[in-house]
Amino acid sequence: MPNIGPSTLVDPDDPPERRAEKLMRINEALMRRVERATDDSGAAYAHFQKAVVLDEQVRERTRDLEKTLSLLSQSNAQLAAASEAEQRARADLSNALEAVQEGFALFGPDDRMVMCNTRFCRLMPDVWRELREGISFDDYVELISRSAYLDDPRDTVDGDPKGWADRRRRLHLNDHVNFNVRLRDDIWLQVSEHRTPHGGTAIIQTDITDMIRLERAERDKLLDAQTRMVRATLDHISQGVCIFDSETRLVGWNRRLGTLLAPPMNVVRLGIRFKTLFDAIAGTLEFDETMPASAIHEWVNSPSPRSPISFELRRTGDMIMSVSAQETPEQGFVISFTDITVERKAIHALFDANEMLELRVRERTLELEDALGDAERANASKSRFVAAASHDLLQPLSAAKLFVSSLSDMQLGDMPTEIARRAQNALGSVENILGALLDISKLDSGQAVVDRSVINLGHLLRQLEEEFTPIAAARGLKLRFARRDATVDSDPALLRRILQNLVANAIRYTDEGGVLVGVRQRGTGIRVDVFDTGPGIPEDKRDDIFREFRRLDAAGSAAEGMGLGLTIVDKACGLLGHDLALSSVVGRGTRFSVSLPGTAFHEVQTLPHSAAPRTFRGSDLLVLIIEDDPEFSEALGLLLETWGMARFIVGSGAEALSLLRETDVIPDIILADYALGPDETGPDAIAAIRAQYGPVPAGIITASRDSEVNSRCREENLPLMRKPIEATHLLDFIARAV
């Protein structure tokens, strides 16, 4: 007998009630069979046992089914409650949607309508009747595009219902969109479409007819007001204006147009064509060659957009008008006419006046060029004269100073010594004046050549201290130099003259107290300050002190200067590019500052001073003087003899070589003038002697201030002293050379 269990007696796909019913019938049948076979045999007992087991399984299965039926009953009850709640919510949503004033529709993620209220598409009855739940969005759009209530689709941008539907479907691709739809009888709907979080689409339709009509009425009022304002404005401007529409019909003009063009009265009227108006007035106009009448017609009839044009017209009676034509946003155009007759006459008059003025200016320019040439030639001649005169005067001046120095060294008594001292001071004043004149002439003529090099500022200040300390002491002043060594980039001669003039000026105008010269580092540069305790400089005099021949104490003597010191300082600083600053307090003193490009300070290097002259015996030194000026050579030789030195005096390098060969002696030092003749210089003569006798100590004495002299002496390592020379400086010069 096949093994039949509960799982094979019932169909698992049957409902629980059906399976329970089958099991009950099976149970009853088995019980009846057991009762009939109870006494038949032992096999009946076995069947009975199987029936009992089967019954137990059926009972267990029945209990499970009862539990399942209970759970199913509960689920059905909950589902019924949820369905009832959904129905109530849907009813509430429908009632809420019906309560709103706008039409509303909801499409699901599959673009099929889920629900809508009765106001949705109510203004389009032929569409509203066809709307139902489940309609696709494409079918909805198709209904709208073919609705008889939609304003004529052929007037839309796309020109037909299909085009309108395609445009509407493209808008549907956006997440959020708003647009207006015009219906028949001037009814307007605003459609707002928004994507929901679950991919659906909510559409809201709002009737904005009243809003559109109100806005249109307000715009019409505004346009009317603007039209009146434009009309009033056009009638009050000086230009004539006419406005044409896209069909070249006259739609507006002002009164000034009639005054300028004087057209026939029956021609200027609303709606007249441009060609008719133009032909009526063309006979009274003269056109420019650059813009003939045909070109104007061509511009008017050309397709949009037209480029603006401008041209001039001449009307019978010598009236000249400037014409401008420009396209309007509506593809029409506006033309303006401006009377420029007065301006053109003024321009012609101005042109004639300019020609006359230019002629006079050319004549005057030629006169000024001639005068300027004469002035430049005179200035150059003056500069050459001053330079030549200064050089020529420095030669005898230097000789005179040497003669006076020789007298001072002789024991002549108190009276001759005092006279010699005063003569020495007078010659020093003359020397200063000549030096200032020579400097200012070079700076004015532009012939001053800048020879920049790296200068030891501390060494230069020590020289100035030795030079001015006796002068300050003679005036009862205290002169202090707060020296700090630094290297600066400048012209040695011009920088020395700048600082020399500043210190001399400070001493000259200080009656009591003293003068301080300080050096400070400012950034990457060096600043030299000259302080004094003088009377100070008033504000209104600070520009005057830098002018030529200007002095604050006009009563001062010529021996104290001619008022060129600060002028030279100002011009030299400008030539070198050094900043010159002035600060002063009246009654307390003045500070002049010169800023120099330089480096950081060095440690102070103490150099030996030679303020005290060396003492030489008569046979100590043999000095060879090479000088072509007899007076200066005699004065120099006499001064050397008073110091106990022997000297040879010659006029050229050839004479020097000849003399040395005859005497068979070698000098201890050579003092040579730079310019010995037309073809010979002092360095040439010294080089020839050194070629014969070895490295004899030598130096150059000259009255020249040329930069070429400085460069030549620096290249050949020859010490340089300028005429006129001081006796103490000469002795120090010789001491350093040997």
Side-chain angles (χ1 to χ4, degrees), residues 68-86 88:
T68 302
L69 289 173
S70 177
L71 293 175
L72 182 60
S73 177
Q74 293 177 5
S75 299
N76 288 335
Q78 293 175 356
L79 180 61
S83 298
E84 184 180 356
E86 180 185 3
R88 286 198 303 270

Side-chain angles (χ1 to χ4, degrees), residues 540-560:
D540 58 344
K541 299 292 185 182
R542 294 183 184 179
D543 291 335
D544 293 341
I545 62 173
F546 293 106
R547 297 177 183 174
E548 299 175 358
F549 309 107
R550 296 292 183 93
R551 295 174 53 184
L552 293 182
D553 56 340
S557 64
E560 294 182 351

Side-chain angles (χ1 to χ4, degrees), residues 321-363:
M321 290 179 290
S322 174
V323 184
S324 297
Q326 187 171 0
E327 188 176 76
T328 63
E330 295 78 16
Q331 286 75 51
F333 55 92
V334 59
I335 304 177
S336 63
F337 301 83
T338 305
D339 185 359
I340 58 172
T341 307
V342 176
E343 289 83 348
R344 284 291 177 266
K345 290 182 178 179
I347 290 174
H348 286 303
L350 183 61
F351 180 77
D352 295 339
N354 282 340
E355 284 190 337
M356 181 63 68
L357 182 59
E358 287 178 1
L359 179 61
R360 295 181 61 185
V361 167
R362 284 195 294 269
E363 294 176 352

Side-chain angles (χ1 to χ4, degrees), residues 411-574:
Q411 304 298 326
L412 300 177
D414 294 340
M415 182 62 70
T417 300
E418 178 63 20
I419 293 174
R421 186 186 66 79
R422 293 187 178 184
Q424 187 78 16
N425 292 339
L427 292 174
S429 298
V430 173
E431 177 189 354
N432 292 335
I433 293 173
L434 288 176
L437 288 174
L438 184 59
D439 290 340
I440 200 68
S441 66
K442 285 186 177 181
L443 293 172
D444 281 342
S445 64
Q447 297 178 353
V449 179
V450 176
D451 184 19
R452 305 183 80 98
S453 63
V454 177
I455 305 169
N456 188 320
L457 186 60
H459 180 63
L460 175 59
L461 294 179
R462 276 189 290 275
Q463 293 177 349
L464 295 177
E465 183 178 12
E466 294 175 1
E467 178 181 350
F468 285 102
T469 296
I471 300 174
R475 292 180 61 90
L477 302 175
K478 184 177 181 181
L479 175 63
R480 286 194 309 117
F481 279 75
R483 294 196 312 271
R484 298 187 69 183
D485 281 0
T487 54
V488 296
D489 178 21
S490 185
D491 182 285
L494 288 177
L495 180 59
R496 178 183 177 86
R497 175 63 74 179
I498 290 170
L499 299 180
Q500 193 177 39
N501 285 359
L502 289 177
V503 175
N505 190 75
I507 294 174
R508 180 178 299 120
Y509 290 101
T510 302
D511 294 330
E512 58 182 14
V515 176
L516 171 64
V517 180
V519 180
R520 299 182 180 182
Q521 185 169 2
R522 287 291 180 266
T524 59
I526 304 297
R527 194 182 77 189
V528 181
D529 297 318
V530 179
F531 299 87
D532 66 59
T533 58
I537 303 173
E539 186 74 27
D540 58 344
K541 299 292 185 182
R542 294 183 184 179
D543 291 335
D544 293 341
I545 62 173
F546 293 106
R547 297 177 183 174
E548 299 175 358
F549 309 107
R550 296 292 183 93
R551 295 174 53 184
L552 293 182
D553 56 340
S557 64
E560 294 182 351
M562 300 178 62
L564 293 175
L566 292 181
T567 304
I568 294 173
V569 169
D570 185 41
K571 292 180 180 294
C573 285

Side-chain angles (χ1 to χ4, degrees), residues 164-360:
W164 191 96
D166 291 340
R167 185 165 62 91
R168 179 65 181 90
R169 292 188 182 98
R170 288 195 297 270
L171 293 175
H172 181 61
L173 298 177
N174 299 320
D175 290 340
H176 303 281
V177 66
N178 286 279
F179 58 92
N180 295 338
V181 177
R182 181 175 178 175
L183 304 182
R184 198 170 59 186
D185 299 329
D186 197 27
I187 296 175
W188 289 84
L189 286 179
Q190 183 183 69
V191 180
S192 300
E193 185 175 300
H194 305 280
R195 197 78 65 201
T196 66
H198 301 291
T201 305
I203 302 177
I204 301 174
Q205 296 176 346
T206 306
D207 187 353
I208 58 171
T209 304
D210 293 340
M211 185 184 303
I212 292 292
R213 292 175 179 175
L214 179 61
E215 181 181 351
R216 185 185 300 158
E218 293 294 331
R219 186 169 63 250
D220 291 342
K221 291 180 182 178
L222 181 61
L223 288 176
D224 290 342
Q226 289 178 343
T227 301
R228 290 192 297 272
M229 184 180 298
V230 169
R231 169 60 63 183
T233 302
L234 290 177
D235 286 339
H236 284 81
I237 62 177
S238 59
Q239 290 86 7
V241 178
C242 54
I243 305 171
F244 295 85
D245 63 11
S246 59
E247 302 296 329
T248 71
R249 295 172 298 195
L250 183 65
V251 295
W253 67 93
N254 64 352
R255 289 193 295 267
R256 180 63 173 165
L257 182 71
T259 304
L260 294 176
L261 298 181
M265 293 296 295
N266 61 340
V267 172
V268 181
R269 64 180 184 276
L270 195 64
I272 189 173
R273 297 283 182 175
F274 171 82
K275 183 179 184 306
T276 305
L277 177 60
F278 186 85
D279 292 343
I281 61 175
T284 62
L285 302 176
E286 296 179 11
F287 297 92
D288 193 287
E289 294 180 357
T290 60
M291 185 61 67
S294 58
I296 299 174
H297 280 293
E298 182 179 351
W299 182 87
V300 170
N301 296 319
S302 63
S304 180
R306 308 178 185 92
S307 300
I309 58 172
S310 297
F311 55 94
E312 290 186 5
L313 288 177
R314 183 181 294 272
R315 206 191 79 184
T316 304
D318 294 333
M319 177 184 286
I320 302 173
M321 290 179 290
S322 174
V323 184
S324 297
Q326 187 171 0
E327 188 176 76
T328 63
E330 295 78 16
Q331 286 75 51
F333 55 92
V334 59
I335 304 177
S336 63
F337 301 83
T338 305
D339 185 359
I340 58 172
T341 307
V342 176
E343 289 83 348
R344 284 291 177 266
K345 290 182 178 179
I347 290 174
H348 286 303
L350 183 61
F351 180 77
D352 295 339
N354 282 340
E355 284 190 337
M356 181 63 68
L357 182 59
E358 287 178 1
L359 179 61
R360 295 181 61 185

